[in-house]
Amino acid sequence: MLQLNVLGIAGSPRKGNSEYLLERAIDAAKSLLPPGSVCEIYSFKGKKFNPCLGCNHCVRNSGACIHDDDFEDLRNKWMDADVILYSLPVYHMGIPGQVKCFIDRLGNSAFGSHHVTLPDGTETLVKQFKIIGTIAQGIHIFSGQEHTITDIINHTLLMQSIPVTGDMWEAYIGAAGWTKNRIERDALQQLVREGDFAAFAAVRSAESLGRRAVETAGIVLNGLVSCKDRHTGDPLYRYIYERLADKTGT
Ligand SMILES: Cc1cc2nc3c(=O)[nH]c(=O)nc-3n(C[C@H](O)[C@H](O)[C@H](O)COP(=O)(O)O)c2cc1C
């Protein structure tokens, strides 16, 4: 089995409910990881992500951004990962602004560093084949969890990657929860201690999402290795096969 790099991204500016569910997902993912795999949790807490200025410096300069902030560090971790699990608080019915700043810049920066020119002259982003799952939780019910997950599914597709969900019935398009009007950073943990059904469902959905992401990465990456001959010479696949060569030593 190929070793996997798993990156969990906690998108809240505080260590709270997002990180709690992410830890549950990562623990579940770890139970299925092949030996030698690596797991890391990255938190937005204390980090600075400026908004994209649309200057296209990154497009012309191999992905380098003119801002001097925390973008490059997370970008490099993102590019090195095989599995990415986002755990986000719902902000104003969608993803938090700091996460949007990262994603906007990631798309153009990745194009700058990993685009190919097709025979007809079209410039396009290479296939990335990252397996990406999303956890979203908010203070209320029906208050933006699905929109938040959908934002990340769209981001996943744009990044030429593969979105996953968890197991039914708890995870339709990702994992989700609500804190029953509680604002505390440990609200979900309190609810779990109190035996709250919805909080258990949030934890279970995060866990099955973590497992599904690792299972899918194994299937996709090992499948790519066995289909290598079919894609030899296709520039869109060059990057993923270079990454796989690093893993397989071939
Ligand atoms: C600026 C802001 C906007 C928010 N908007 C929503 C919202 O639209 N829907 C919702 O359910 N919760 C909303 N919340 C509440 C958070 O999603 C909720 O408290 C969550 O548990 C915080 O996660 P954390 O503990 O990981 O920071 C908002 C919180 C803030 C600070």
Side-chain angles (χ1 to χ4, degrees), residues 12 14 16-18 89-93 137-140 143 179:
S12 173
R14 64 183 194 169
N17 300 291
S18 306
V90 181
Y91 274 14
H92 211 88
M93 292 284 294
Q137 52 75 36
I139 193 166
H140 299 135
S143 52
T179 62

Side-chain angles (χ1 to χ4, degrees), residues 65-80:
C65 183
I66 57 160
H67 286 305
D68 181 14
D69 60 9
D70 289 299
F71 171 72
E72 193 180 319
D73 180 39
L74 183 53
R75 173 197 185 279
N76 292 343
K77 292 179 192 298
W78 198 99
M79 295 301 288
D80 282 346

Side-chain angles (χ1 to χ4, degrees), residues 6-7 52 84 95 102 112-113 117-118 120 134 139 144 149 166 168 175 180 186 191 203 212-213 235:
V6 179
L7 174 64
C52 180
I84 299 160
I95 63 175
F102 168 66
S113 56
T117 307
L118 299 177
D120 69 356
T134 310
I139 193 166
I149 295 170
M168 290 296 241
K180 292 203 156 173
D186 66 343
L191 287 162
V203 169
R212 178 84 64 90

Side-chain angles (χ1 to χ4, degrees), residues 2-4 78-83 113-116 125-131 159-162 216-217 219-228 230-250:
L2 293 174
Q3 296 171 356
L4 298 175
W78 198 99
M79 295 301 288
D80 282 346
D82 305 300
V83 172
S113 56
H114 292 91
H115 71 265
V116 290
L125 184 60
V126 298
K127 293 181 197 286
Q128 302 263 351
F129 285 106
K130 314 258 183 229
I131 307 302
M159 296 305 289
Q160 307 305 302
S161 292
I162 300 170
T216 308
I219 292 165
V220 169
L221 295 185
N222 286 291
L224 278 163
V225 170
S226 63
C227 296
K228 189 174 175 196
R230 196 179 304 169
H231 303 299
T232 304
D234 183 337
L236 287 172
Y237 282 85
R238 197 179 307 138
Y239 169 68
I240 188 68
Y241 280 110
E242 281 168 11
R243 277 179 53 75
L244 287 169
D246 286 345
K247 286 180 186 294
T248 56
T250 55

